Amino acid sequence: MTFPTAARPPAGPARRPPGEDRRRIRELVARYTVLLDTHDANGFDAEWPRTVFTRDARLRFPIGEVDGLDGVAAFHHEAKAKFESTRHRSFRVRTALRGDLADVRFRMRATHVHPERHGRPGPLFEIGGHYTCEAARTEQGWRFRALTFHLSWQRGPGPA
């Protein structure tokens, strides 16, 4: 089928029905959540952020900030290295679509396990809060362009 020139769809990422966009954004949230626990399973990986963030991403956390894709992997790796393991769970994803952008909010609960001490399991550090994000539709799919974590509560000894 050909379109008259004036009616031709705009170039760029393919548009999908709103329900499909919301599903893909939920998948983005899930991918990020899993990567928080697995991104360095085989050692430092500088490439994983490209699967969830845009090149100009802005990240804000209570423990620090990152502007641009280049520092994201190192920031997460250094934060996670203080613990033996982590388990993150995201839920209640809310999305407001604005064309090729979306405002995204989701809740997060995370358990961080400190390293063993004197042959005994390390204590737990648990946190809860929510993320406010802006996602952008890209040629590679939806990616976070801005991501801020808002800490609501914490329990146990924090990172040393």
Side-chain angles (χ1 to χ4, degrees), residues 126-138:
E126 298 176 290
I127 62 170
H130 70 276
Y131 281 90
T132 54
C133 313
E134 181 179 70
R137 184 194 324 265
T138 71

Side-chain angles (χ1 to χ4, degrees), residues 5 10 16 21 24 39 50 58 65-66 75 79-80 99 112 129 132 150 157:
T5 305
R16 292 185 169 78
D21 282 330
R24 289 176 186 257
H39 65 83
R50 297 181 196 307
R58 297 178 321 277
E65 301 180 354
V66 180
F75 176 83
K80 188 178 175 204
H112 305 77
T132 54
H150 306 271

Side-chain angles (χ1 to χ4, degrees), residues 16-128:
R16 292 185 169 78
E20 179 68 12
D21 282 330
R22 285 186 177 85
R23 183 184 68 75
R24 289 176 186 257
I25 291 169
R26 283 192 309 273
E27 288 174 357
L28 172 65
V29 170
R31 191 166 61 247
Y32 175 65
T33 302
V34 169
L35 282 166
L36 286 172
D37 296 324
T38 62
H39 65 83
D40 56 1
N42 297 313
F44 180 74
D45 177 6
E47 298 302 314
W48 74 266
R50 297 181 196 307
T51 68
V52 291
F53 296 107
T54 62
R55 281 179 288 167
D56 61 345
R58 297 178 321 277
L59 286 70
R60 305 290 181 258
F61 294 91
I63 61 170
E65 301 180 354
V66 180
D67 288 314
L69 192 60
D70 292 339
V72 173
F75 176 83
H76 280 82
H77 182 77
E78 289 169 17
K80 188 178 175 204
K82 298 172 182 166
F83 299 99
E84 188 170 307
S85 65
T86 62
R87 292 294 171 259
H88 292 76
R89 292 172 301 284
S90 58
F91 52 100
R92 293 190 185 154
V93 179
R94 301 289 183 255
T95 304
L97 297 169
R98 297 182 287 122
D100 288 338
L101 299 175
D103 296 316
V104 183
R105 179 184 168 113
F106 61 97
R107 295 194 181 275
M108 177 73 69
R109 181 170 181 169
T111 301
H112 305 77
V113 181
H114 282 280
E116 286 186 13
R117 295 182 191 171
H118 311 293
R120 299 184 60 136
L124 302 180
F125 173 54
E126 298 176 290
I127 62 170

